[in-house]
Amino acid sequence: MRKRIKEIIEQGVGTAPCSFSGWVRSVRSAKEICFIILNDGSNVDGIQVVADSTVPDFTQICRVGTGAALTVSGTLVESPASGQKMELMARTIEIIGHSDASYPLQKKRHTFEYLRTISHLRPRTNTFGAVFRLRSRLAQAIHRFFSEHNFLYVNTPLITASDCEGAGELFRVTTLDAADPPILAGKPDFNQDFFGQKTGLTVSGQLEGELFALAFGDIYTFGPTFRAENSNTARHASEFWMIEPEMAFATLADNADLAEEFIKYLCRFALDECGDEMAFFDKHIENGLCERIAKVAEADFARMEYSEAIERLQDSGVTFAYPVEWGLDLQTEHERYITEQIVGGPTFILNYPKDIKAFYMRQNNDGRTVAAMDLLVPKIGEIIGGSQREERLDRLESRMVEMGIAQDSLWWYLDSRRWGSCPHAGFGLGFERLVMYLSGMENIRDVIPFPRTPRHCEF
Ligand code: 4AD
Ligand code: MG
């Protein structure tokens, strides 16, 4: 297999001649010598290639454009100059794919806004290289964490007939002709649709995940999630990835314990195993990032009742844009104030009013709250949302009636409470929010390869 630049550098100086391929980040040439920074996506810095006039086609190589694809062979030597430990003395350089002055990434620095307009090219920049390497490694770390804890990985369906969160944010999946659907009693007749009923893209794999938890004990899902939520913020995407663990025989406290251990594991992983990328983010994206993440890896996450959070916000003397009142949901400004100003670190908010939460959450004895939890972190606000589930059939049914949720389409969910029901709990971690949190990147569009947001779906 082809050797990657990262591997060649790890092997160190003094090894046999080597060969690798990559793309030109910059070229500097003098009369008899030419320096090319080549990057193959495997590390932050790429490698400096040094060519002198003994290299065949030397003059042509000096004129190679930024962005061109090259295959280089030579030997790795210690670099006499500062800036890099090692460099590659080239013996031959082959131009595989040309580039020219019209290549948009000539300049060293572009704004993230501009780079979003060329998301087909931005993976070739240092920042997006680091972001997507971190994202890839984190995905692997997430599977590793759950594998070490004996959780079953389950793939829940992307096309579904149920709106788990009940927020009406399903993208419709249909093969009916939108301009001329079959009509029955004045409405589109979904009986004639592909699945013989109304279907959409999933907003969460939780309900199906629960069914597996009630068979395998501990499970998790990790997959794409879709929400037709018309909120154009730096933290919402219409298509995002979510990790949803679900544990049988578990309470809300167990759920928070798992979430805390999970987040700390991922913080440590980023620092220990993505050190170069984290150092890059610390230097270029958020000064002090590594220290912030190291602190979180050691911290005890705070746990605060929703009612207390409301009181503390009301007592803060701060004027918020959105009202603060028992019974209302917390907005991002409130969440950030709690985790940044009141606590100064990750904070679980527990036991929310039942009227602002989904039907499946376990009803508390006070009659007005449910066993919900959100994990709030500085800079982001909510990164995790979860709950203990209502495992009592009668309570679940009466709550569905109260909320006007049709029971016939969720007969299978109710069945799970009929036989062998048990206390169980789980949560959802937004994968992109995690990547933002660990990298310091401030817009969700910059941690998704090809983001989908309202009125934006290119590629
Ligand atoms: O709080 P949410 O809506 O919870 C659920 O979907 C539950 N079914 C999870 C569970 O208990 N299994 O979403 C969970 C997390 C949020 O905390 C947030 O990090 C992320 O998913 N999230 C989004 N990320 C990006 N864009 C969006 N539009 C998001 N909506 C939620
Ligand atoms: Mg939520």
Side-chain angles (χ1 to χ4, degrees):
M1 222 164 71
R2 188 168 53 81
K3 272 249 152 71
R4 310 296 304 275
I5 290 174
K6 179 182 158 68
E7 297 159 6
I8 289 172
I9 289 177
E10 276 165 7
Q11 276 178 4
V13 170
T15 47
C18 49
S19 160
F20 53 82
S21 304
W23 294 270
V24 174
R25 283 290 168 79
S26 71
V27 187
R28 252 181 330 119
S29 57
K31 238 191 193 157
E32 297 290 316
I33 197 153
C34 169
F35 300 97
I36 300 173
I37 302 289
L38 204 70
N39 192 298
D40 68 352
S42 64
N43 70 352
V44 174
D45 293 324
I47 194 166
Q48 171 157 281
V49 175
V50 185
D52 61 23
S53 54
T54 63
V55 171
D57 302 321
F58 178 70
T59 37
Q60 220 186 324
I61 283 162
C62 291
R63 272 189 250 121
V64 75
T66 303
L70 306 182
T71 294
V72 179
S73 67
T75 43
L76 198 64
V77 297
E78 268 176 46
S79 177
S82 66
Q84 63 279 320
K85 267 214 199 99
M86 288 168 259
E87 59 189 23
L88 192 101
M89 282 302 297
R91 197 163 42 80
T92 64
I93 297 180
E94 191 186 347
I95 301 175
I96 307 291
H98 282 274
S99 181
D100 60 27
S102 65
Y103 180 60
L105 298 174
Q106 304 284 345
K107 250 193 346 178
K108 272 256 145 99
R109 277 193 176 273
H110 294 280
T111 64
F112 291 149
E113 288 77 11
Y114 170 68
L115 290 171
R116 268 174 231 146
T117 68
I118 51 166
S119 42
H120 58 308
L121 296 173
R122 68 177 185 171
R124 302 184 190 191
T125 63
N126 285 342
T127 301
F128 289 93
V131 166
F132 293 121
R133 268 191 306 279
L134 177 68
R135 185 178 165 124
S136 165
R137 297 299 308 283
L138 283 173
Q140 290 159 346
I142 286 163
H143 286 298
R144 203 171 82 185
F145 175 86
F146 286 116
S147 169
E148 286 170 9
H149 288 73
N150 280 311
F151 278 57
L152 181 100
Y153 174 40
V154 53
N155 302 122
T156 47
L158 300 188
I159 300 176
T160 170
S162 56
D163 178 0
C164 169
E165 295 305 306
E169 290 166 350
L170 251 69
F171 283 102
R172 186 73 49 77
V173 170
T174 179
T175 52
L176 294 182
D177 181 354
D180 184 24
I183 301 289
L184 184 72
K187 287 188 178 161
D189 181 12
F190 289 103
N191 200 21
Q192 294 186 46
D193 203 348
F194 191 88
F195 294 106
Q197 60 181 321
K198 234 174 163 173
T199 50
L201 295 177
T202 187
V203 296
S204 162
Q206 178 196 319
L207 301 188
E208 295 90 348
E210 283 184 51
L211 305 178
F212 264 56
L214 294 175
F216 295 92
D218 299 329
I219 66 97
Y220 72 106
T221 72
F222 185 178
T225 310
F226 309 88
R227 294 197 184 172
E229 180 184 8
N230 204 356
S231 40
N232 237 318
T233 78
R235 290 171 322 280
H236 288 88
S238 313
E239 177 179 317
F240 61 99
W241 283 59
M242 191 154 53
I243 299 104
E244 295 185 274
E246 189 75 33
M247 296 177 290
F249 310 105
T251 62
L252 189 65
D254 299 324
N255 207 23
D257 288 345
L258 178 74
E260 179 169 342
E261 189 186 342
F262 184 39
I263 295 290
K264 288 180 180 172
Y265 178 95
L266 296 172
C267 288
R268 257 190 309 272
F269 173 86
L271 294 171
D272 293 349
E273 302 202 30
C274 306
D276 291 347
E277 282 75 17
M278 294 302 283
F280 175 88
F281 295 130
D282 197 313
K283 188 164 170 208
H284 298 286
I285 305 294
E286 182 194 329
N287 291 332
L289 173 77
C290 291
E291 201 187 310
R292 167 166 77 77
I293 300 300
K295 258 202 215 148
V296 173
E298 299 303 321
D300 282 328
F301 292 10
R303 297 180 191 203
M304 190 188 293
E305 293 289 314
Y306 164 88
S307 300
E308 183 189 340
I310 293 294
E311 278 169 26
R312 307 257 315 240
L313 287 169
Q314 286 172 336
D315 292 347
S316 69
V318 177
T319 317
F320 294 103
Y322 290 88
V324 179
E325 202 180 299
W326 201 99
L328 298 181
D329 209 357
L330 298 176
Q331 303 296 324
T332 303
E333 56 168 351
H334 309 137
E335 294 174 341
R336 289 190 58 174
Y337 188 83
I338 293 167
T339 173
E340 290 169 14
Q341 307 299 325
I342 298 180
V343 175
T347 309
F348 287 103
I349 305 293
L350 305 167
N351 300 312
Y352 283 73
K354 67 179 197 293
D355 291 334
I356 55 171
K357 289 294 184 185
F359 76 96
Y360 54 70
M361 295 190 182
R362 192 174 199 278
Q363 296 157 62
N364 289 325
N365 291 337
D366 62 12
R368 59 178 201 157
T369 61
V370 285
M373 66 171 210
D374 276 6
L375 176 63
L376 315 181
V377 294
K379 292 195 70 181
I380 308 274
E382 177 191 341
I383 194 167
I384 279 178
S387 63
Q388 186 174 333
R389 321 305 188 188
E390 184 53 81
E391 85 283 13
R392 299 161 295 187
L393 180 62
D394 55 336
R395 304 294 290 266
L396 183 61
E397 281 177 333
S398 58
R399 188 72 189 130
M400 288 171 76
V401 170
E402 268 172 35
M403 294 178 73
I405 294 169
Q407 296 192 26
D408 50 350
S409 61
L410 286 172
W411 61 271
W412 44 273
Y413 189 70
L414 292 166
D415 262 6
S416 69
R417 273 60 173 171
R418 239 180 272 283
W419 306 295
S421 187
C422 67
H424 60 287
F427 62 82
L429 167 67
F431 187 41
E432 285 76 13
R433 294 201 187 166
L434 174 77
V435 179
M436 290 168 72
Y437 184 58
L438 293 178
S439 65
M441 296 295 285
E442 290 187 341
N443 196 307
I444 197 165
R445 293 163 183 80
D446 297 332
V447 298
I448 302 184
F450 302 100
R452 274 87 183 82
T453 50
R455 307 201 60 78
H456 186 90
C457 186
E458 227 162 337
F459 309 101

